[in-house]
Amino acid sequence: MSGVLTIARNEIRHLARSRIALTGVLLVALLSLAAALTSSAYQAEQGGLRERLQHTANEEFESQPDRHPHRVVHAGHFAVRPASGLAAMDPGVEAFTGNMIFLEGHRQNSANFGDARQSSLLVRFGQLAPALVLQVVAPLLLVFIGAGVIAGERERGTLRQVLLTGASGRSLLAGKALALGGAALVIAAPAAVLLFWLSLSGPARGSAVLLSAGGYAVYLAFWVVLIVAVSALAGRSRSALITLVAIWSFAVLLVPRMAPEAATALDPLPTRLETDIAIQRDLRNLGDSHNPDDPYFAAFKQKTLARYGVTKVEDLPLNYRGLLGMEGEKLTSSLFDRYADTAFGAMERQSRTMDGLSALSPTIAIRRLSMTAAETDLAGYRRFLEQAEAYRYDLVQRLNMLQATAVTAADDAAKSSDAAAEARSRISAENWRKMPEFRPTRPTEADVLARAAPSLAILTAWLAAATLLTGFAAHRISRSAA
């Protein structure tokens, strides 16, 4: 062990004396620090903004005057997605999916106001975040400063001298990897401090912080071990550098860029226009509640009359229009849910395709793990949409029930021609103030860990493969010295 530490100390001194290596490490560390500071400040601002928007939406909904319940259904409400605890580390898909939904009767709207649409063009190319630095920039820097750790010794003729002192190939590679890992630690230090701060300041869970930190530690360790192994197997530093840059280009740029295209080709999603046309077609087939001769709603009318033991809707103890609104909302919501499930099912299959391609690129695995830990992945977005829809449906049905119970059928029918009936059909605004507020819940820690486990396993497998390659390289070096 002392031999490994001695080799590591010597390599660290060598890196420190190299102006290029030292400058590169410091610059990327500063980039990581800048990413941590700017991303943290931006997400803190976004978190406060979203809280204010939701508070304002709640106040405006509750401040509505006395009015007919169905007017409130069409006035609508807003649901705002709360900021994620680790979004400062990895904003994930949040910049493109939108963070606010308009909730109204008879419709399911999509989320709007994504950061990429509301911000400058730079945001559209990816927000500067610590995740981006660690996933893309850090491995490239390690490649440039580490390509010659062993190959350079071989070119200078000092490799055999080191081995003749009694150092084994395994201890030599371990010491070099330890020194290169120190450089990786310097680069990742600002991101680690950010994770620690997010954990202490409250928004992030400790388990998510450990999961994210552990994932990046395995990812960077993979690159450190791979770089040392390739350098040990290459005949010259230039050959090692070319090989490692090719690996980085393939694993970090090419495969992650092509993976979404491949997933989309295998499971294409219909366009928004195609979906809207299909929904309108199915809505017409469901039935028209305003048409007394519509088969479905005629049957619903007869079933309702039979349930209350009357022969006319005027004799019902409830306002039939409110009951009709509840039934219509149930039908349309089930239709929208079916289309949403179909779309998200295709997205899930696309995600599984990309997960499979992580066998070609550890970068895909760390991206999935990082977004999962930050709750900024597709599953987090779907959770927000589903909770917003559940809230919308409950709110609309509560308002429909108020129409059925608090507005008489006679006043409801005469409100357009009788001013007194129209006034009586307006119910107290106190009803809006009693409505529940939108309070989305976060996934459990067990759910987050379960969804991140496959990515962590793939990263571990990549590290194990790189370690085996290093073992082979160490054996080859020891044999060449003998």
Side-chain angles (χ1 to χ4, degrees):
M1 185 63 182
S2 61
V4 172
L5 294 177
T6 300
I7 294 171
R9 282 195 298 268
N10 292 335
E11 184 63 28
I12 289 174
R13 283 197 293 267
H14 173 72
L15 290 175
R17 287 195 299 266
S18 172
R19 291 184 180 181
I20 296 178
L22 182 61
T23 302
V25 170
L26 292 179
L27 285 177
V28 176
L30 288 175
L31 179 64
S32 180
L33 176 62
L37 293 176
T38 57
S39 183
S40 179
Y42 177 78
Q43 292 300 332
E45 179 187 359
Q46 282 292 303
L49 175 62
R50 295 184 197 182
E51 288 181 5
R52 292 193 299 273
L53 287 173
Q54 187 65 74
H55 180 69
T56 302
N58 293 339
E59 283 188 336
E60 290 184 354
F61 180 81
E62 294 171 1
S63 65
Q64 294 180 90
D66 297 352
R67 58 174 43 175
H68 192 284
H70 202 66
R71 292 285 182 89
V72 182
V73 169
H74 286 288
H77 198 1
F78 285 94
V80 183
R81 183 181 184 181
S84 166
L86 283 182
M89 180 67 185
D90 191 341
V93 301
E94 279 196 355
F96 304 96
T97 53
N99 305 305
M100 180 184 292
I101 302 179
F102 178 57
L103 310 175
E104 59 179 327
H106 321 309
R107 288 185 62 85
Q108 274 188 19
N109 296 314
S110 58
N112 292 310
F113 306 109
D115 295 341
R117 296 184 178 90
Q118 307 304 312
S119 303
S120 66
L121 288 174
L122 290 177
V123 176
R124 302 187 187 188
F125 289 99
Q127 178 186 333
L128 179 61
L132 178 65
V133 176
L134 296 182
Q135 292 169 12
V136 178
V137 182
L140 182 60
L141 176 68
L142 294 174
V143 163
F144 276 100
I145 67 175
V149 288
I150 302 295
E153 297 268 11
R154 182 179 288 113
E155 284 180 315
R156 292 189 296 269
T158 56
L159 178 59
R160 181 173 293 275
Q161 295 176 12
V162 173
L163 296 174
L164 290 176
T165 62
S168 65
R170 189 177 298 275
S171 61
L172 176 63
L173 268 61
K176 298 287 188 178
L178 192 60
L180 195 58
L185 186 60
V186 172
I187 295 170
V193 172
L194 173 63
L195 287 173
F196 183 68
W197 165 251
L198 291 175
S199 178
L200 289 181
S201 58
R205 292 169 172 166
S207 60
V209 168
L210 291 176
L211 178 63
S212 182
Y216 280 106
V218 175
Y219 179 70
L220 292 177
F222 158 76
W223 281 104
V224 167
V225 174
L226 177 68
I227 289 167
V228 172
V230 172
S231 182
L233 293 172
R236 294 190 300 172
S237 298
R238 186 172 63 178
S239 301
L241 180 60
I242 292 174
T243 301
L244 288 168
V245 169
I247 294 173
W248 176 86
S249 301
F250 179 80
V252 178
L253 297 182
L254 182 61
V255 176
R257 177 64 184 86
M258 297 302 296
E261 303 294 337
T264 303
L266 291 174
D267 287 287
L269 283 171
T271 65
R272 177 67 180 272
L273 179 61
E274 290 173 336
T275 301
D276 287 344
I277 292 174
I279 288 176
Q280 292 302 318
R281 179 195 61 222
D282 290 349
L283 283 174
R284 287 196 300 270
N285 293 333
L286 279 177
D288 183 2
S289 60
H290 300 289
N291 180 9
D293 298 325
D294 182 85
Y296 179 86
F297 285 98
F300 171 74
K301 177 181 177 180
Q302 294 303 318
K303 185 167 59 176
T304 302
L305 294 175
R307 183 194 311 162
Y308 290 97
V310 296
T311 57
K312 297 184 299 181
V313 294
E314 291 79 8
D315 297 332
L316 288 170
L318 300 175
N319 183 351
Y320 179 69
R321 293 191 179 189
L323 298 178
L324 201 61
M326 294 180 69
E327 182 66 16
E329 191 64 42
K330 184 177 73 172
L331 285 177
T332 56
S333 294
S334 63
L335 174 64
F336 289 129
D337 288 342
R338 187 165 69 250
Y339 273 92
D341 289 341
T342 300
F344 275 111
M347 293 180 191
E348 285 294 333
R349 292 191 297 273
Q350 290 177 357
S351 295
R352 286 194 294 270
T353 299
M354 293 187 63
D355 289 343
L357 291 174
S358 61
L360 300 176
S361 168
T363 304
I364 294 179
I366 188 60
R367 284 183 181 177
R368 180 64 177 267
L369 184 146
S370 181
M371 289 191 296
T372 301
E375 299 175 25
T376 57
D377 57 347
L378 178 64
Y381 175 61
R382 180 177 185 177
R383 185 180 183 87
F384 165 62
L385 291 184
E386 289 178 343
Q387 292 189 58
E389 169 55 22
Y391 174 78
R392 183 202 70 84
Y393 181 76
D394 177 71
L395 181 67
V396 171
Q397 293 297 57
R398 285 171 183 262
L399 293 169
N400 284 330
M401 179 56 74
L402 283 174
Q403 183 180 2
T405 57
V407 181
T408 65
D411 287 340
D412 214 358
K415 66 181 184 295
S416 60
S417 57
D418 187 343
E422 197 276 336
R424 288 192 299 270
S425 68
R426 300 178 186 177
I427 65 175
S428 172
E430 191 64 28
N431 290 285
W432 331 138
R433 303 186 186 100
K434 294 179 181 178
M435 293 292 175
E437 296 182 353
F438 177 62
R439 299 186 183 278
T441 59
R442 298 176 62 184
T444 64
E445 295 183 69
D447 180 53
V448 173
L449 292 174
R451 287 189 289 108
S455 298
L456 184 59
I458 292 172
L459 284 172
T460 305
W462 275 105
L463 178 57
T467 303
L468 290 175
L469 182 63
T470 305
F472 170 75
H475 175 72
R476 182 176 173 181
I477 287 177
S478 298
R479 189 175 58 183
S480 65

